[in-house]
Amino acid sequence: MGNDIGKGANRMAIAAMANVTQFEKRELLALQRKFSDLAAREGNPHTITRSEFRESLEAVGVTESDTEILDRLFTMFDKTGDDQVNFREFVVGISPLITGDVVSKLNFSFELYDLDGTGQIRPNEMSFILSSMNATASYFGDPVMTSDQIESLVDDIFKTADSSGTGTLSYSEYMTAVAEHPVLVASSQEPEASGTGRASE
């Protein structure tokens, strides 16, 4: 019974999270480009300051209500309290907020992380993606996985999906693996599914 309640709460939180903002993929891609440009300009290719972050949001034209939410998420991702974040972690973390179904969100998270365009993902990169998304979900009250659970999930996915034994997953292997894995499917239901009665399964 407790499990059923957890599943229902999880789906409701995902639905709430997706409905709080109205991000589109193009806006997040524009933010990523702006963050990357600013980070390179300042000489640190991986981090941006809060002022650079706000400059980027304004340049991209993010709405005031979404800006307020993103500013709070910036604070959450600022683990050291120095008003700087790893912009890649931030962008991947907020990718579930874009409009679209779970497959498109996971697809987008892969695109955002694969900055060098190799089309391959390693276990540590998948852990990074899931941990970043997990952090954002926790902000919205979603029950989250522990770091051990994430590592176990990643190990399971790679054991199942890395049929070639290369230690990496191609884009298609990644998408198939995460879209079919029961833990990820349950924790990433699209908002429309939350009102269909499935939450009481």
Side-chain angles (χ1 to χ4, degrees):
M1 173 138 181
N3 230 0
D4 293 341
I5 292 169
K7 284 182 182 176
N10 189 36
R11 289 184 179 142
M12 285 187 289
I14 290 290
M17 182 173 85
N19 288 320
V20 167
T21 62
Q22 290 301 313
F23 268 140
E24 292 182 22
K25 181 178 174 179
R26 63 176 176 75
E27 290 177 302
L28 209 45
L29 286 171
L31 267 182
Q32 182 190 31
R33 281 191 300 274
K34 187 69 175 166
F35 289 162
S36 184
D37 291 347
L38 285 172
R41 181 183 78 192
E42 297 302 320
N44 189 335
H46 303 294
T47 62
I48 56 167
T49 65
R50 189 179 296 271
S51 62
E52 292 166 346
F53 170 76
R54 289 178 174 154
E55 178 185 334
S56 300
L57 296 182
E58 192 173 321
V60 171
V62 174
T63 66
E64 190 175 328
S65 59
D66 285 350
T67 295
E68 186 177 324
I69 290 166
L70 292 177
D71 197 57
R72 291 178 188 166
L73 288 169
F74 182 100
T75 301
M76 184 189 73
F77 276 98
D78 180 14
K79 296 176 180 79
T80 58
D82 62 355
D83 262 2
Q84 294 187 53
V85 296
N86 176 316
F87 76 83
R88 184 186 293 185
E89 180 181 4
F90 182 84
V91 170
V92 169
I94 65 173
S95 65
L97 299 179
I98 65 163
T99 55
D101 63 16
V102 64
V103 174
S104 66
K105 291 178 185 189
L106 290 168
N107 169 15
F108 191 43
S109 71
F110 185 98
E111 285 180 48
L112 288 170
Y113 194 84
D114 187 25
L115 291 178
D116 54 4
T118 63
Q120 300 288 320
I121 191 165
R122 292 176 176 73
N124 64 317
E125 294 170 331
M126 181 178 275
S127 294
F128 180 92
I129 289 170
L130 295 176
S131 296
S132 298
M133 289 179 158
N134 207 32
T136 301
S138 73
Y139 176 81
F140 290 95
D142 193 359
V144 296
M145 292 184 284
T146 66
S147 56
D148 287 345
Q149 288 171 321
I150 289 174
E151 292 308 316
S152 176
L153 175 62
V154 170
D155 288 346
D156 186 36
I157 288 172
F158 272 79
K159 281 177 191 162
T160 305
D162 185 19
S163 53
S164 58
T166 60
T168 63
L169 295 182
S170 68
Y171 169 79
S172 60
E173 286 173 325
Y174 167 84
M175 288 301 293
T176 300
V178 296
E180 292 178 358
H181 198 284
V183 172
L184 290 174
V185 171
S187 67
S188 304
Q189 292 293 322
E190 41 182 315
E192 293 75 21
S194 65
T196 61
R198 294 179 60 193
S200 61
E201 285 177 350

